[in-house]
Amino acid sequence: MKLLKIRNLRHMKNKNNNITFLLAMLLTVSFTANAMQEQEQVEDVVQIAQDTIKSNFKRIKLDGVSAVVGDHVILDSDIEKTLIDLRRQGVSEDDVTKCGLL
């Protein structure tokens, strides 16, 4: 009778391990599914934000590169400032072009 009880206890021990393993697998699968759902929701929100940004804003040029001379970069704003300085000095605009300033 004792041998029979020991065998039954061993069998119960294996059942408990199997149940624990199944519960762990179920939890892993459920957490993975939730994480995938949350990732999809985050991606949707990011896409909506990107679409909103693209539709609400226009690109405008603030400043540009007119030329590069050696290691020096000449910006459009530099040429405009030079033209303004020349006007203040009284130089005729007909004699000076933007290309001529370079």
Side-chain angles (χ1 to χ4, degrees):
M1 185 72 173
K2 239 183 188 181
L3 185 60
L4 183 61
K5 285 184 180 180
I6 292 172
R7 285 186 184 168
N8 284 340
L9 289 175
R10 284 185 188 159
H11 183 66
M12 291 287 287
K13 197 175 196 181
N14 287 340
K15 277 187 178 180
N16 285 339
N17 286 341
N18 289 341
I19 290 172
T20 305
F21 176 74
L22 287 174
L23 284 175
M25 290 303 291
L26 268 169
L27 286 173
T28 303
V29 168
S30 67
F31 284 131
T32 305
N34 285 340
M36 289 173 62
Q37 258 183 342
E38 289 176 5
Q39 180 65 27
E40 289 174 2
Q41 289 174 350
V42 167
E43 289 172 358
D44 290 343
V45 168
V46 168
Q47 184 63 39
I48 290 170
Q50 287 175 345
D51 291 343
T52 302
I53 289 171
K54 286 179 184 175
S55 65
N56 288 342
F57 295 101
K58 291 183 180 179
R59 288 180 142 189
I60 56 172
K61 182 179 173 183
L62 296 178
D63 205 355
V65 176
S66 291
V68 177
V69 179
D71 293 336
H72 302 285
V73 177
I74 300 173
L75 300 175
D76 290 334
S77 61
D78 295 333
I79 294 175
E80 292 297 324
K81 287 178 187 176
T82 305
L83 280 173
I84 292 170
D85 288 342
L86 289 174
R87 282 187 207 131
R88 287 183 185 156
Q89 293 174 9
V91 176
S92 174
E93 291 183 31
D94 297 332
D95 299 337
V96 179
T97 62
K98 289 183 179 183
C99 292
L101 287 175
L102 287 175

